[in-house]
Amino acid sequence: MNSLLSSKRLRWLAALIVIFNGAAPALWILLTSLKGEAELTQLPITYLPQAPTMVNFVHAFADQPLLTFLYNSAVVATLSTISSLFVSTLAAYAIARLRLRFRNAILTCIIAVSMFPLVTLMVPLFEIMRGLGLLNTYWALVLPYTVLNLPICTLMLVSFFQDIPRDIENAAMLDGCTRIGALWGIVMPLAAPGVFTAAIIAFVNAWDEFLLSLSMNSAVAYRTLPVGIQLYQGEFSFPWPIVSAALVVALVPVLILVMVFQEKVVSGLTSGGLKG
């Protein structure tokens, strides 16, 4: 009994540490965005805003084209998520259902590719995009983000497809449904938690990515949020309250997305595991 209580306490402690680690920075950014420059630099430190103000949000939209950055990030993240899901769904279904001779080797290669540091891919990706004439376009980010998200999306979907009984698809195909029709009409709805989870992971990865966005698109009109926010920094100053306000704006779409699909994401993250 005592060991059971100790185990529960440890789980609660671990959960609280994880929650604090994720929530504390976001809360601090929110509080900073509501402070004036003078209050932010005064001593002793004030943790709660003494005179909350929304002027930092006004400056965030007025000093830089924040709406343009939001739009660019939304377009790039949405297109790359859709393309990643489409390709990874076909790949995962083939791995899970077809009798591939080197299936385990393919899975090993997918895992190995996902471990490559992004910085090692920067030069070849840049040269490819320049050769295709895609620099300073949305596609200069959509195509690399699609490729970078494929391993995690494929691995996640493979585990869900393996958990779906083959008899359901076989019955549909006996009634005249094609294999592709069975995939989109039967398997995909049953694997909805995994699909939503993979989609949100791909979306957040594209939404937060900085290095590729900085390298591929130098034109302000095509910059995404992570790169655009750095433009608030001056040569000899860093307006933390304004930057914090811009960061809060950047966090809102992701928070809404996760809140709307919370149940499916939790179900997707806790269901099953990759089978050999």
Side-chain angles (χ1 to χ4, degrees):
M1 186 66 177
N2 290 333
S3 61
L4 181 60
L5 290 175
S6 299
S7 177
K8 287 184 177 179
R9 291 194 185 99
L10 287 175
R11 287 199 295 269
W12 273 106
L13 179 61
L16 289 174
I17 291 174
V18 172
I19 293 172
F20 180 80
N21 182 63
L27 180 60
W28 185 261
I29 291 172
L30 176 61
L31 295 176
T32 302
S33 69
L34 298 175
K35 294 180 180 180
E37 188 74 35
E39 183 182 352
L40 187 64
T41 56
Q42 75 179 20
L43 293 175
I45 296 174
T46 57
Y47 294 97
L48 297 177
Q50 294 178 336
T53 177
M54 298 295 291
V55 68
N56 296 318
F57 290 89
V58 175
H59 283 295
F61 283 95
D63 294 353
Q64 295 292 339
L66 189 57
L67 285 176
T68 299
F69 301 152
L70 276 167
Y71 177 77
N72 293 340
S73 289
V75 170
V76 169
T78 301
L79 290 177
S80 62
T81 299
I82 293 172
S83 56
S84 295
L85 281 180
F86 179 76
V87 178
S88 62
T89 295
L90 297 177
Y93 186 75
I95 294 172
R97 287 293 190 257
L98 303 183
R99 295 181 179 178
L100 301 177
R101 185 176 181 182
F102 301 105
R103 178 177 174 277
N104 290 334
I106 293 173
L107 288 173
T108 301
C109 289
I110 292 175
I111 295 173
V113 169
S114 66
M115 295 180 180
F116 288 173
L118 179 58
V119 68
T120 64
L121 306 176
M122 283 298 304
V123 174
L125 285 175
F126 182 85
E127 290 298 326
I128 291 172
M129 293 301 110
R130 184 171 66 174
L132 294 174
L134 296 178
L135 294 180
N136 288 319
T137 66
Y138 292 134
W139 294 107
L141 297 178
V142 171
L143 295 178
Y145 289 169
T146 299
V147 174
L148 293 174
N149 281 322
L150 282 178
I152 183 63
C153 291
T154 301
L155 291 172
M156 184 169 292
L157 291 175
V158 165
S159 65
F160 277 88
F161 290 163
Q162 287 179 326
D163 289 337
I164 297 174
R166 293 174 180 265
D167 294 341
I168 300 176
E169 298 162 71
N170 294 335
M173 287 188 284
L174 285 175
D175 290 338
C177 185
T178 63
R179 183 174 288 276
I180 294 295
L183 168 61
W184 297 113
I186 297 174
V187 176
M188 287 294 284
L190 293 175
V195 174
F196 278 104
T197 304
I200 290 179
I201 290 175
F203 185 91
V204 172
N205 286 343
W207 186 270
D208 291 341
E209 201 281 325
F210 175 81
L211 191 57
L212 275 177
S213 182
L214 177 65
S215 304
M216 300 296 182
N217 291 343
S218 58
V220 176
Y222 289 99
R223 283 180 172 169
T224 56
L225 269 171
V227 178
I229 289 176
Q230 75 162 350
L231 298 178
Y232 291 97
Q233 180 180 356
E235 185 177 359
F236 302 105
S237 64
F238 196 98
W240 279 111
I242 298 175
V243 171
S244 297
L247 289 172
V248 170
V249 173
L251 285 171
V252 169
V254 177
L255 290 176
I256 293 175
L257 188 66
V258 173
M259 289 174 64
V260 170
F261 299 108
Q262 179 182 2
E263 292 184 5
K264 293 186 180 297
V265 173
V266 173
S267 175
L269 290 173
T270 56
S271 296
L274 188 60
K275 298 178 180 178

